[in-house]
């Protein structure tokens, strides 16, 4: 346990230099690849964020991984992300990489089977409705469990407003 607090000045300096190097590499690669690198648009984007965090931590704290190794690993993850983002323009690749949005409520009707598929409880659903300021179920046009894991509530106070079909394209009922 006493080794938890041991460190040589050499290792502290090495960690500082490596941290600065990997930090600059992340900034450069993110500028080259774009903001999408840290979005949570799809499961692949989430995996990208986790991979980058892991590479940063390993490069900074592991003596067996050099700064060059970490930068090369980062570059490969960014190249993969850009490649998949480009390939996602094909609907087959998009289906393979992305989750499909799932409708949880169709108007005022709760779709219990879809709640089970999404592993969302009625309590979670009520909480999300409150969070989005739904005062009456009659205001709800649809609730969607998005590909990102977020829950979108489409609602209006004007009961005459219809939900446009375009907004629901690709959503599984």
């Amino acid at each position: 346990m006493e080794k938890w607090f041991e460190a040589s000045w050499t290792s502290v300096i090495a960690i500082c230099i490596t941290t600065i190097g990997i930090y600059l590499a992340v900034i450069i690669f993110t500028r080259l690849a774009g903001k999408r690198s840290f979005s949570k648009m799809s499961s692949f984007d989430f995996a990208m964020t986790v991979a980058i965090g892991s590479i940063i931590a390993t490069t900074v704290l592991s003596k067996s991984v050099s700064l060059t190794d970490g930068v090369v690993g980062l570059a490969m993850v960014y190249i993969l992300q850009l490649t998949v983002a480009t390939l996602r323009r094909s609907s087959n690749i998009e289906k393979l990489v992305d989750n499909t949005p799932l409708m949880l409520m169709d108007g005022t009707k709760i779709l219990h089977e879809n709640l089970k598929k999404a592993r969302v409880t009625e309590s979670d659903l009520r909480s999300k409705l409150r969070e989005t300021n739904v005062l009456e179920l009659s205001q709800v046009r649809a609730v969607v469990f998005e590909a990102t894991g977020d829950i979108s509530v489409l609602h209006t106070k004007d009961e005459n407003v219809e939900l446009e079909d375009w907004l629901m394209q690709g959503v599984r009922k």
Side-chain angles (χ1 to χ4, degrees):
M1 186 162 170
E2 65 270 353
K3 289 190 177 197
W4 284 359
F5 301 105
E6 287 181 10
S8 69
W9 281 109
T10 306
S11 68
V12 170
I13 291 169
I15 289 171
C16 291
I17 291 170
T18 304
T19 301
I20 292 167
I22 202 77
Y23 180 76
L24 291 173
V26 168
I27 290 171
I28 291 166
F29 289 142
T30 302
R31 294 285 294 161
L32 292 172
K35 294 177 187 175
R36 167 103 196 202
S37 303
F38 287 103
S39 72
K40 57 177 194 166
M41 300 284 287
S42 69
S43 55
F44 185 78
D45 295 320
F46 173 75
M48 164 84 177
T49 303
V50 171
I52 289 173
S54 178
I55 291 170
I56 290 170
T58 302
T59 304
V60 169
L61 298 176
S62 175
K63 292 177 183 169
S64 64
V65 178
S66 71
L67 177 58
T68 303
D69 293 340
V71 171
V72 170
L74 275 178
M76 287 306 302
V77 169
Y78 276 90
I79 289 167
L80 280 172
Q81 198 266 345
L82 287 171
T83 303
V84 171
T86 302
L87 293 174
R88 282 180 66 236
R89 294 179 183 150
S90 159
S91 61
N92 290 333
I93 300 295
E94 185 179 24
K95 288 177 188 173
L96 181 67
V97 174
D98 294 342
N99 296 317
T100 303
L102 181 65
M103 187 177 289
L104 302 178
M105 281 183 72
D106 188 1
T108 60
K109 182 181 178 195
I110 297 172
L111 305 175
H112 293 281
E113 282 301 310
N114 288 355
L115 285 177
K116 286 180 188 174
K117 287 178 189 173
R119 294 181 183 88
V120 174
T121 66
E122 280 192 37
S123 177
D124 296 332
L125 181 60
R126 274 191 300 276
S127 174
K128 193 63 178 179
L129 292 172
R130 289 189 302 267
E131 183 181 309
T132 57
N133 298 318
V134 171
L135 300 176
E136 298 174 10
L137 287 181
S138 64
Q139 296 175 341
V140 177
R141 299 296 176 265
V143 177
V144 179
F145 189 67
E146 300 291 355
T148 60
D150 291 330
I151 296 176
S152 297
V153 178
L154 304 169
H155 65 96
T156 181
K157 291 181 182 178
D158 184 352
E159 293 182 18
N160 297 322
V161 176
E162 293 294 319
L163 181 60
E164 290 186 26
D165 291 337
W166 185 83
L167 290 171
M168 300 307 289
Q169 282 182 2
V171 177
R172 266 192 351 224
K173 281 192 173 183

